[in-house]
Amino acid sequence: MRYYKQIIEDIKKKNLYRFLKPIKDRTCKYITVNDKEYIDFSSNDYLGYSEHPALKKVAVDAINKFGTGSTASRLLSGDSELMHTLESAIADFKGKESGLVFNSGYQANLGLISSLANDKDVIFSDKLNHASMIDGSILSGAKLIRYRHNDMAHLETLVKKHRSFYNKALIITESVFSMEGDFASLNEIVDIKKKYDIEILVDEAHATGLYGKKGAGLIEKFNLTDKIDYIMGTFGKALGSFGAYFVSSKEVIEYMINSCRSFIFTTALPPSVIAVNIKAIELITKEKDKRTILISRADSLRKNLSEGGFEIRGESNIIPILIKDIEKTIKLAELIREKGFWALPIRPPAVPDDESRIRISLTYNHDDDIIRKFTEQLLYLKKCLNI
Ligand SMILES: *Cc1c(COP(=O)(O)O)cnc(C)c1O
């Protein structure tokens, strides 16, 4: 036990201590923490769907009809017609032949990547990929080679050097990156795939619900659905619920049902969650205005902050404000929180040394008035802290 105490002390000394912050209440715009109200700038509820009246209603209806739990794993008696409706809906929405639902994005990546590659294969992974993609790669036993973030020349150099020594090769990338808020160079990745006989898995966690005509994601926006072998994403972000999906060909889905351990050895999602996910997909296609408004507000917030002298990255509603110095980052986050805005500092090891930042995720709940007040406060604090 003393061993862990020492580790915690060391973490605190490095300014890297993490702790939980229980939220007492949550309404559309505000969260209440320690009896103080904040506007939440760190939620992934991009379209405000976690409180959508139509989604609440289908959740309650499903509980009344089917109960609170699914009672078993899918291959025992936890499977349901409702689940198959969801899997068809997500496959249609994403434009692929078949779909499979997982209990979370983390579990999906862990199981999918470790099923798609083995110790005779090689995985090329963007350096900024989500932890679940790294963990899935390690679990697969494949050779893991990480390329510099979105650096296609670096990716191709590594592919040229290593590809021929392995049986199968897989490129894995997020489409909208969770810490940088930028887009993967999917067109170039597809070119490299064709040239060197490689498969691609794309994680659309942050893109699902926001991009493309239907709102299916960045792959839809770039018109690349047929060229990407494996697509996954989560229902826990813009869709306001929980769980994750994987879409691909019928054979690949059948293979996963028979081999993917994080699919097989876990209780199926509760009926209420499944029902919400079905409805959320339907709403995304219908409520196009919400994503259009959010994207245009994000564009103008990024522009205003950069004109105010901040270093801003990305091209989405995830907006990293680079402060670099760890202490200044923490101080700015603290002060902006005192003003009633819940925006958290991101520090190493989540980002490289020297790249500490405040990460804003803009949602549909942030109207023009909130965004204006938030921008004013940030620019004022920037002066005070001499950033
Ligand atoms: C959030 C996230 C996940 C994990 O999804 P959960 O459903 O929250 O487990 C996976 N990949 C990326 C890129 C994410 O941002």
Side-chain angles (χ1 to χ4, degrees):
M1 293 299 249
R2 280 186 41 197
Y3 172 74
Y4 298 111
K5 202 170 167 189
Q6 186 57 49
I7 293 177
I8 294 295
E9 288 310 316
D10 289 347
I11 291 174
K12 281 185 178 165
K13 258 187 230 146
K14 288 186 201 145
N15 253 333
L16 299 177
Y17 183 63
R18 290 152 197 266
F19 56 96
L20 295 166
K21 308 151 205 77
I23 285 161
K24 186 174 172 182
D25 198 8
R26 182 189 298 282
T27 60
C28 258
K29 284 194 179 114
Y30 299 98
I31 51 174
T32 311
V33 187
N34 288 334
D35 291 325
K36 183 171 157 59
E37 260 188 357
Y38 300 89
I39 292 171
D40 189 2
F41 272 95
S42 60
S43 137
N44 299 319
D45 188 16
Y46 300 140
L47 299 171
Y49 274 20
S50 75
E51 299 194 65
H52 199 299
L55 296 178
K56 286 188 192 176
K57 181 172 185 311
V58 295
V60 172
D61 290 349
I63 288 175
N64 286 330
K65 191 162 176 199
F66 300 109
T68 53
S70 65
T71 76
S73 66
R74 295 282 300 277
L75 289 167
L76 296 178
S77 55
D79 199 16
S80 61
E81 289 182 4
L82 200 63
M83 185 66 105
H84 286 257
T85 305
L86 173 58
E87 289 178 336
S88 302
I90 191 69
D92 274 357
F93 180 57
K94 300 293 289 188
K96 286 284 192 196
E97 201 175 24
S98 267
L100 194 65
V101 167
F102 284 80
N103 287 7
S104 75
Y106 184 86
Q107 271 178 261
N109 277 332
L110 209 63
L112 290 167
I113 298 171
S114 60
S115 302
L116 290 171
N118 64 37
D119 58 4
K120 295 187 181 56
D121 304 330
V122 58
I123 295 174
F124 298 96
S125 173
D126 188 290
K127 271 215 169 127
L128 293 188
N129 277 341
H130 192 261
S132 56
M133 302 173 86
I134 298 169
D135 295 355
S137 304
I138 294 170
L139 190 61
S140 75
K143 171 79 178 170
L144 174 60
I145 296 176
R146 298 169 76 200
Y147 56 93
R148 286 194 292 269
H149 175 55
N150 241 343
D151 184 338
M152 293 299 112
H154 191 222
L155 170 61
E156 188 159 10
T157 306
L158 292 171
V159 166
K160 271 188 190 154
K161 190 168 162 198
H162 298 279
R163 171 70 189 94
S164 62
F165 299 107
Y166 296 92
N167 186 8
K168 200 167 100 170
L170 179 68
I171 297 172
I172 57 177
T173 183
E174 298 181 26
S175 58
V176 173
F177 282 89
S178 57
M179 284 297 146
E180 294 287 302
D182 58 351
F183 297 167
S185 310
L186 292 176
N187 276 302
E188 287 83 346
I189 292 179
V190 165
D191 289 342
I192 293 175
K193 162 206 164 71
K194 279 191 217 144
K195 216 162 137 189
Y196 299 95
D197 180 28
I198 308 182
E199 296 186 332
I200 309 175
L201 176 133
V202 176
D203 180 334
E204 292 238 79
H206 294 279
T208 310
L210 292 194
Y211 298 99
K213 267 207 190 90
K214 280 189 293 182
L218 207 64
I219 296 173
E220 187 202 1
K221 180 179 163 78
F222 291 166
N223 212 0
L224 291 171
T225 304
D226 295 339
K227 301 201 169 70
I228 292 178
D229 310 87
Y230 313 115
I231 305 173
M232 62 78 62
T234 161
F235 294 116
K237 287 170 180 151
L239 281 84
S241 171
F242 190 60
Y245 65 84
F246 172 61
V247 294
S248 187
S249 70
K250 220 169 140 190
E251 293 78 52
V252 171
I253 299 299
E254 229 175 285
Y255 165 68
M256 289 301 167
I257 293 171
N258 283 276
S259 69
C260 182
R261 294 169 67 85
S262 71
F263 170 80
I264 298 170
F265 297 103
T266 191
T267 303
L269 288 176
S272 51
V273 173
I274 302 169
V276 168
N277 291 339
I278 295 169
K279 188 72 182 174
I281 295 169
E282 183 194 317
L283 289 176
I284 293 276
T285 36
K286 279 191 198 152
E287 300 187 333
K288 189 172 184 199
D289 283 1
K290 289 191 177 172
R291 60 178 178 274
T292 313
I293 290 169
L294 172 59
I295 289 168
S296 104
R297 282 180 184 154
D299 289 345
S300 67
L301 176 58
R302 264 186 277 107
K303 184 166 160 277
N304 290 339
L305 290 175
S306 349
E307 282 173 7
F310 278 114
E311 185 181 337
I312 302 297
R313 296 232 177 117
E315 50 202 315
S316 66
N317 64 315
I318 297 170
I319 306 179
I321 306 172
L322 274 277
I323 310 297
K324 298 185 174 168
D325 180 80
I326 296 186
E327 271 164 42
K328 277 188 181 173
T329 309
I330 293 170
K331 192 72 199 166
L332 177 60
E334 228 175 76
L335 293 174
I336 197 79
R337 222 175 307 155
E338 273 171 27
K339 303 282 183 193
F341 300 99
W342 192 261
L344 298 177
I346 312 278
R347 308 157 278 183
V351 289
D353 291 341
D354 233 24
E355 290 205 6
S356 289
R357 62 192 66 185
I358 309 272
R359 175 182 176 276
I360 305 302
S361 61
L362 202 66
T363 75
Y364 182 73
N365 286 334
H366 302 127
D367 57 31
D368 291 329
D369 193 42
I370 290 175
I371 296 173
R372 187 181 46 77
K373 286 184 184 137
F374 178 64
T375 310
E376 277 169 14
Q377 287 300 339
L378 270 178
L379 293 174
Y380 168 72
L381 291 171
K382 178 176 184 294
K383 260 195 218 138
C384 302
L385 290 173
N386 203 8
I387 291 168

